[in-house]
Amino acid sequence: MSAEASSSHMLWGGRFQSGPDPRFWALNASLPVDQRLALHDVRGTAAWVRALANAGVLTAAEREQLLAGLARIEAEFRAGTFSFAATDEDIHTAIERRLKEMVGEPALKVHTGRSRNDQVVTAFRLWLRDATDELDDLVRDLQTALVQRAEADQDVLIPGYTHLQQAQPILLSHWWLAHFWPLHRDRQRLAQLRARLNVLPLGSGALAGTTVPVDRTALAQDLGFADITPNSWDAVSDRDFAAEFLFWAALVGVHLSRLAEGVILFSTREFGFLSLDDAFSSGSSLMPQKKNPDGFELARGKSGALIGALTGLLTTLKALPSAYDKDLQEDKAPVFRAYDDLRALLPVLADSLRTLTVHPERAAAALDPDTLATDLADYLVRKGIPFREAHHIVGQVVQRAAARGVPITQWSVEDFRAVHPAFGPDVRTALDPWAAVARRDVPGGTAPARVREQLEYARATLRGPA
Amino acid sequence: MSAEASSSHMLWGGRFQSGPDPRFWALNASLPVDQRLALHDVRGTAAWVRALANAGVLTAAEREQLLAGLARIEAEFRAGTFSFAATDEDIHTAIERRLKEMVGEPALKVHTGRSRNDQVVTAFRLWLRDATDELDDLVRDLQTALVQRAEADQDVLIPGYTHLQQAQPILLSHWWLAHFWPLHRDRQRLAQLRARLNVLPLGSGALAGTTVPVDRTALAQDLGFADITPNSWDAVSDRDFAAEFLFWAALVGVHLSRLAEGVILFSTREFGFLSLDDAFSSGSSLMPQKKNPDGFELARGKSGALIGALTGLLTTLKALPSAYDKDLQEDKAPVFRAYDDLRALLPVLADSLRTLTVHPERAAAALDPDTLATDLADYLVRKGIPFREAHHIVGQVVQRAAARGVPITQWSVEDFRAVHPAFGPDVRTALDPWAAVARRDVPGGTAPARVREQLEYARATLRGPA
Amino acid sequence: MSAEASSSHMLWGGRFQSGPDPRFWALNASLPVDQRLALHDVRGTAAWVRALANAGVLTAAEREQLLAGLARIEAEFRAGTFSFAATDEDIHTAIERRLKEMVGEPALKVHTGRSRNDQVVTAFRLWLRDATDELDDLVRDLQTALVQRAEADQDVLIPGYTHLQQAQPILLSHWWLAHFWPLHRDRQRLAQLRARLNVLPLGSGALAGTTVPVDRTALAQDLGFADITPNSWDAVSDRDFAAEFLFWAALVGVHLSRLAEGVILFSTREFGFLSLDDAFSSGSSLMPQKKNPDGFELARGKSGALIGALTGLLTTLKALPSAYDKDLQEDKAPVFRAYDDLRALLPVLADSLRTLTVHPERAAAALDPDTLATDLADYLVRKGIPFREAHHIVGQVVQRAAARGVPITQWSVEDFRAVHPAFGPDVRTALDPWAAVARRDVPGGTAPARVREQLEYARATLRGPA
Amino acid sequence: MSAEASSSHMLWGGRFQSGPDPRFWALNASLPVDQRLALHDVRGTAAWVRALANAGVLTAAEREQLLAGLARIEAEFRAGTFSFAATDEDIHTAIERRLKEMVGEPALKVHTGRSRNDQVVTAFRLWLRDATDELDDLVRDLQTALVQRAEADQDVLIPGYTHLQQAQPILLSHWWLAHFWPLHRDRQRLAQLRARLNVLPLGSGALAGTTVPVDRTALAQDLGFADITPNSWDAVSDRDFAAEFLFWAALVGVHLSRLAEGVILFSTREFGFLSLDDAFSSGSSLMPQKKNPDGFELARGKSGALIGALTGLLTTLKALPSAYDKDLQEDKAPVFRAYDDLRALLPVLADSLRTLTVHPERAAAALDPDTLATDLADYLVRKGIPFREAHHIVGQVVQRAAARGVPITQWSVEDFRAVHPAFGPDVRTALDPWAAVARRDVPGGTAPARVREQLEYARATLRGPA
């Protein structure tokens, strides 16, 4: 491409004696990434046109010409007919170039008092505001699926795990809800970062503020921003909102990875508590019998990419010296990728949950009688034995059960009394998993009534904002 | 150490036939790290004792014995006289061991209905709550130092930078404030994460809830928590608060690194706008003339460690399958390190700022006349030339000035008119840096009145909570 | 897309009762990413066809049909005429689908004894082998540019920096070469990882080895691999080569960021030692005078993305349980991105260096006389004063010079003697920067003769393999 | 502490008018971290003393005094009697301070021609060289344990997994060896990075080379370095060796996490193939029955910290401008932590493997007959059916088996023929897992003879260097 033809060179070429080297140009151009901001840049530019007109920089006629041009550009983008030039450096120069083609000289005035520094970050904030709203809906839909599962699976007992060893029996519903609350916190965090995101930087110029007397507060209202940035340097250099979004996405990724790990485990042949629907499974090119939980594995795997995206942006931001450094061009790609990953994952996970099959009988059969050991110790505590001693006694019971090969649920009272005289005929009450579950009768516990209470609370959080 | 003597083995050894391998024991023990939780575990344990008594598990006499014992243990920690045993696995077993030495049998009841899983995370939350409060004060003090500098340096003009090239003149005050607002957002984030942190997990047992009918809401009040966790599995597995804190610290680190980079640059011989006080500089073992900005370099360098701490914890959390996995033992070290780093850095940076010397004359001398090029373009816009065309004309002015070796501030009106006839005798009004600064007269701009307005707003945010 | 029409469903649909959900399909499909492996998969498949024929699984006629089909597919890819079907799950199924369209039934035999697990990783290794060779050339070209600069700039003195404070004078050539050697180590690392990469996994089946008696050693030779993998499970699960490549890229990124930081600083108005050519600079949409070092800023900024890519893959790999987990699908995107970034950056940096202008007079003028303080201390050491004492005396000289406002190069002998009597008339020999440079006359030192020696060594490393 | 008393102030205080602020001092001091370099700094300093004497800077008498002093200091460190002063800034100033106390004036000459910049990095390289040798031994010991397991478990069949779903039967030995080879690559990488580490930076001065005519090659030989650094700036700024070590450690961490994940899974009640020895397990403070695989969980969890340490250092190194920036002080803590983590983990894992119990009968019982589906397809291929068609037929067999609830190993020949007429009476040969294993008879395959071959190869690699 010749330098003369470049739309950016049009923008800033006055002081340059030669045009850009083509490889430098290719490196420098951000269009392949930032064209996703097209509609948001059109919207931001239209608001700027109105502000310039209000400030007396544009006539009413110019304003109307420009707004009509921008409307046509928007229509071109929506119809997929907008045609990029090889010389477009980024989406912003592409739109300004097209506007000039459409309306002529007034387009040369559009950039008055504006810099790409405040223009780009305004479009990015507008885009991300929409993205967060969309993701909030998707997270809520996954939460809804978890609530639906929790409602459906209240009669299913599974082993609860610590260290991946069976620990105590719990309701499957309780486990589904354990994955609901992290997402609830995620929605809180999203709402809070959205508020910090929803602040207008436009009017900050390149770094020092604009010389055009635009009404920034009116501009913010025009674009739906709740506030304006208080310092022009900070306004163009701040990418906290992007970092905060990427942390949000990374933590959602971690939460999804933990849910996924559970589902992957529970749907192995060895655990066997769940089966995924065929529509959310895939097979093997070699092994005819395979049915694999690819969606959940991708959720787990993509948590790595999400964490990497966060690390990458934070590292890029480290020690940047200026109000705007070109390094900031690296801000959008990780944000777009994180958004794409979550937008692809969340609905698949939600519907995978909705369509899976639970195998209550296999879960019940899997439950190790030893998971009632804590209840046996509690039984001894009720007989007046200090807990630490009770714990020790039951440890010996368990060890003896293993040695004899007879599970404690099949022990006679005498068997127990041979270990310690405090055991009485009522010991069998301690050995019923449903009774054990019912005994965890505190707020947040796995007792059925408590899980119903928890479900009610969970449903309530879905009705309002986070 | 013999297995018999181990206080943990005391805790869980009933079912074990042999004691732990010493190297396994050393790997497993977390005492070197978690002993920092000592006072917070004592506090949590005392509250648990009161809750057990209220639930009828302990008599009033036992309660008093235990609380007296815990008070003595606290006193030992405060006096530095608490003596650890080689067999203490972690701070929690150490305290239970010591309590037993002090009060005997009642100590064996303290763990009734409690698991280390809910105990540890309760102590960790209590510790981190205090840490966040302390860090909030330190961040606010650094903000105060920035405000003080901004007040002091209102008459100092410096070049503003983009791409580390001089862009437009700004007030040094404006630059200091550009570093105030990121910290303001940090304080907002900290307040919000503190609220998510300030929720009681105790009473969740190992994973399924406790069988002891404790009043968790009363327990929360006792410990100053604002709410209780709604799901026992989530309560013991959730480390969102630690991840959120580490993200907070990493982003603070990025903000400090950017401030530091600026100060390091501005105090080079080449920029020369600032000099650090001797008390906050160090020298060289070899080069007698050196005076180095080590504090700011460490701020910049430690941003790496802070980002690494965040990455590490998120990676550790990825795909954990259980309510509690031992992997979670890795949660505290990075949090402690991040806290230590910030607690060491923040006051040094604040006082470094307060004590540095500004060199207004060197800053003024450094200002490139070309930084007025935007104002020259704005001048042409006021003469009716569209901005894009004005930009191109001024680009040619700048190029010609470089070729002639005569800065534009020394050009005659004829020189300007030789480039374009729109220039008139009033062109010199566009070439005064103070006038240029004054023209950025929008909210957030660098005009002196706007900076005073901004200072007022900044001071106001320091008076209340973030 | 209907499930029936899916080429993957063709591959593995036998046991499935329903087709995939479209959103699950979209999430699962890797074609948008892995289509870059097209030519390498064709090559790997052709070798597999030959191996199957040698093992008696295919007839000679079938072999020829298939090889001809694959050759036509390769031609389609090269011509850009290969047409993907909406049902292609990945590049491998696309190629198998197309092969069947072309040659019919023999295509159904191509996957005999092969799994996508060993197929994919074979194609990935082939691709990355080519990529490393290309990047090695590009790194070498950047090294060549550094050597060219070092040759050209042997007569240029600049201040050397520690803590970004002037420390001692050095040759600019020495500084360019300081950025040569990290890249030399990078080339060594690349050669070593290439050797680990250049090992054939094909023939490992899904995880347990293939049942077809293929000659894996012959297969390795066919594909240019130096060795075969020793364990089939490890062969399909190993992504060390990708992680090692990403670490390599991240460290190259760090090296480029350090070079870039130096060039950015040295081309500021304040330092002023260098000017970039217009062809490798860009301007500002708002500020007509700006000329920005965007290429170097992007080098610095992209080091973040490269570190993030590494972090992401390592995190994805953490704790994967199986021989192949779908998480591994996330292996290629970060590798492709790292390759793209470096391939774009390296030539731009090399030619930016070749075309920049050095300003020796500005560098000389910038040199602080205090950078000779170490030489002054060495002078005193030669007079018999212990170094530590000499250091202290010179510290006082420097302090007094600052107080008097007279640089030490302008001091009289009496001025020096007023600080310490050991100074004599020959003190001025210690105050010449070229003499100072010449005194660093050890291997690796900045003395001109040593730099010439170093240049010779550097050139020699470029002639052979790393 | 008063500034006068500070040993660093002694080092560099000549030009300073006031002493350091105590909080600045605390931040700046690296002694708590770098005191681990004590013996290596003594060694490096002794070599420097010999080099200075050879260069004529020290007399023979001074040399002997200094070497005797250093020997006494070394003895103090080894005996734990070395006493630090509150004013010691780092281990290097502490040693120089102590040396002066011991030998007086000659100690003031020790720093002649040396800077802390080259001194510190020399000691760090010496330390890390020892650390890598120690870790190489520990990795080899873990490999030995894997080989021992592989030898012992050759008669044990387990399901092989992809997507954590049973895929094909394999030998347990094969699985152990799958974890051997990644460690083999790790040892190769370690040997290669050790070679890059084993290069002498001393003699590079602060950044420009030393003015003392020391023989750097002789100095390298004295300290056992294989080469000398070729550029003094690079010599003091290069931390590639630390980054490379941290990548090495992170990748080892990933490998350990994958082994750990497998062992954790296989020792669940649900899988049940393995039991850990009591000496390498721990229990629960609440649940008496628990026996947890803490060592393996910590291996998995610490992979996060190892990845974080790498990320942190790379981020710290990004864009450092000078030959030495204080940021580099952050290089040692992550290296020490990574070393400590691996040194604690590796022996525990090795002995955990050696002492665990395998349950062959449970593994055999767990094997799903459907894992023979690939062999059934291969059987059809041998009957002349193209693989892709055979795969589809067997998919239907598997689906029908699930529907009927009769595993394919219990099907009659007629049952098979009802699906496809190509099945014959010999179909049962395809349904024996041991035969299936034996059929994977290619290099790297799981056939017993191949595993024996692999074992032989593995053992051979342990005998020599990596």
Side-chain angles (χ1 to χ4, degrees), chain C residues 257-280:
Chain C
S257 79
R258 294 177 84 166
L259 168 62
E261 182 76 6
V263 171
I264 291 168
L265 281 170
F266 288 178
S267 55
T268 57
R269 177 176 170 86
E270 288 74 12
F271 282 75
F273 311 161
L274 310 173
S275 301
L276 297 182
D277 191 82
D278 278 8
F280 292 95

Side-chain angles (χ1 to χ4, degrees), chain B residues 182-253:
Chain B
L183 297 171
H184 177 63
R185 293 188 294 273
D186 289 329
R187 287 189 64 225
Q188 283 188 334
R189 278 182 282 263
L190 190 65
Q192 291 169 349
L193 79 87
R194 188 192 190 283
R196 268 185 291 279
L197 168 68
N198 197 25
V199 177
L200 175 84
L202 201 60
S204 298
L207 76 158
T210 184
T211 56
V212 176
V214 290
D215 180 341
R216 293 188 66 217
T217 302
L219 197 48
Q221 284 167 351
D222 188 347
L223 290 167
F225 284 111
D227 205 348
I228 61 172
T229 54
N231 179 295
S232 56
W233 177 301
D234 178 42
V236 297
S237 69
D238 170 26
R239 290 300 182 277
D240 283 9
F241 63 87
E244 205 171 348
F245 172 75
L246 288 176
F247 169 68
W248 178 84
L251 197 51
V252 171

Side-chain angles (χ1 to χ4, degrees), chain A residues 56-294:
Chain A
V57 171
L58 298 174
T59 64
E62 287 170 333
R63 181 189 64 204
E64 291 315 305
Q65 273 183 283
L66 288 165
L67 293 177
L70 288 166
R72 284 172 55 200
I73 289 173
E74 176 174 348
E76 288 185 353
F77 279 118
R78 292 196 184 276
T81 58
F82 185 94
S83 171
F84 288 103
T87 56
D88 292 337
E89 182 179 1
D90 57 26
I91 188 66
H92 316 287
T93 56
I95 289 171
E96 188 173 333
R97 189 245 327 137
R98 184 77 183 112
L99 195 58
K100 178 154 177 258
E101 291 167 6
M102 283 177 163
V103 307
E105 186 176 308
L108 301 180
K109 300 184 176 176
V110 148
H111 213 60
T112 312
R114 186 173 68 160
S115 150
R116 268 191 296 183
N117 296 353
D118 57 345
Q119 177 184 5
V120 168
V121 76
T122 299
F124 191 19
R125 283 178 182 252
L126 286 169
W127 182 90
L128 190 51
R129 194 175 66 187
D130 284 354
T132 58
D133 291 342
E134 186 183 354
L135 291 174
D136 184 65
D137 283 346
L138 295 176
V139 170
R140 186 154 53 176
D141 184 55
L142 176 55
Q143 288 183 290
T144 302
L146 286 162
V147 162
Q148 290 165 337
R149 281 255 60 104
E151 281 168 350
D153 301 334
Q154 294 185 65
D155 295 332
V156 183
L157 210 61
I158 62 165
Y161 295 85
T162 61
H163 305 259
L164 209 50
Q165 297 288 325
Q166 292 195 14
Q168 294 174 351
I170 60 168
L171 293 195
L172 177 52
S173 293
H174 195 58
W175 187 78
W176 293 120
L177 290 173
H179 294 283
F180 174 94
W181 299 108
L183 297 171
H184 177 63
R185 291 189 294 273
D186 289 329
R187 286 189 65 225
Q188 283 188 334
R189 277 182 283 263
L190 191 64
Q192 292 170 348
L193 79 87
R194 187 192 190 283
R196 266 184 292 278
L197 168 68
N198 197 26
V199 177
L200 174 83
L202 201 59
S204 298
L207 76 157
T210 184
T211 56
V212 176
V214 290
D215 181 342
R216 293 188 65 215
T217 303
L219 196 49
Q221 284 167 351
D222 188 348
L223 291 167
F225 284 110
D227 205 349
I228 61 172
T229 53
N231 179 295
S232 56
W233 177 300
D234 178 44
V236 297
S237 70
D238 170 27
R239 291 300 182 277
D240 283 9
F241 63 88
E244 205 171 348
F245 172 76
L246 288 176
F247 169 67
W248 178 84
L251 196 51
V252 171
V254 167
H255 295 151
L256 299 183
S257 78
R258 295 177 81 166
L259 169 63
E261 182 77 6
V263 171
I264 291 167
L265 281 170
F266 288 178
S267 55
T268 57
R269 177 176 169 87
E270 288 75 11
F271 282 76
F273 310 161
L274 311 172
S275 300
L276 297 182
D277 192 82
D278 278 7
F280 292 95
S281 306
S282 60
S284 156
S285 67
L286 178 65
M287 298 173 286
Q289 88 283 9
K290 289 302 294 291
K291 199 178 118 178
N292 297 323
D294 291 45

Side-chain angles (χ1 to χ4, degrees), chain C residues 236-319:
Chain C
V236 298
S237 70
D238 170 26
R239 291 300 182 278
D240 283 9
F241 63 88
E244 204 171 349
F245 172 75
L246 288 176
F247 170 68
W248 178 84
L251 196 51
V252 171
V254 167
H255 295 152
L256 299 183
S257 79
R258 294 177 84 166
L259 168 62
E261 182 76 6
V263 171
I264 291 168
L265 281 170
F266 288 178
S267 55
T268 57
R269 177 176 170 86
E270 288 74 12
F271 282 75
F273 311 161
L274 310 173
S275 301
L276 297 182
D277 191 82
D278 278 8
F280 292 95
S281 306
S282 60
S284 157
S285 66
L286 178 64
M287 296 173 288
Q289 87 282 10
K290 288 303 293 293
K291 199 178 117 178
N292 298 321
D294 291 46
F296 290 93
E297 292 174 280
L298 286 168
R300 185 179 59 189
K302 282 177 184 294
S303 67
L306 292 167
I307 292 170
L310 168 64
T311 301
L313 182 64
L314 287 172
T315 301
T316 292
L317 294 177
K318 176 209 157 192

Side-chain angles (χ1 to χ4, degrees), chain A residues 161-163 165-167 261 267 270 284-285 287 289-290 292 297 311 315-316 318 370 374 388 391, chain D residues 161-163 165-167 261 267 270 284-285 287 289-290 292 297 311 315-316 318 370 374 388 391:
Chain A
Y161 295 85
T162 61
H163 305 259
Q165 297 288 325
Q166 292 195 14
E261 182 77 6
S267 55
E270 288 75 11
S284 156
S285 67
M287 298 173 286
Q289 88 283 9
K290 289 302 294 291
N292 297 323
E297 292 174 280
T311 300
T315 301
T316 292
K318 175 208 157 192
D370 283 354
T374 317
R388 190 54 68 212
H391 182 286
Chain D
Y161 295 86
T162 61
H163 305 259
Q165 297 289 325
Q166 292 194 13
E261 182 76 6
S267 56
E270 288 74 11
S284 157
S285 67
M287 298 173 287
Q289 88 283 8
K290 289 304 293 293
N292 298 323
E297 292 173 280
T311 300
T315 301
T316 292
K318 175 209 157 191
D370 283 354
T374 317
R388 191 54 69 213
H391 181 287

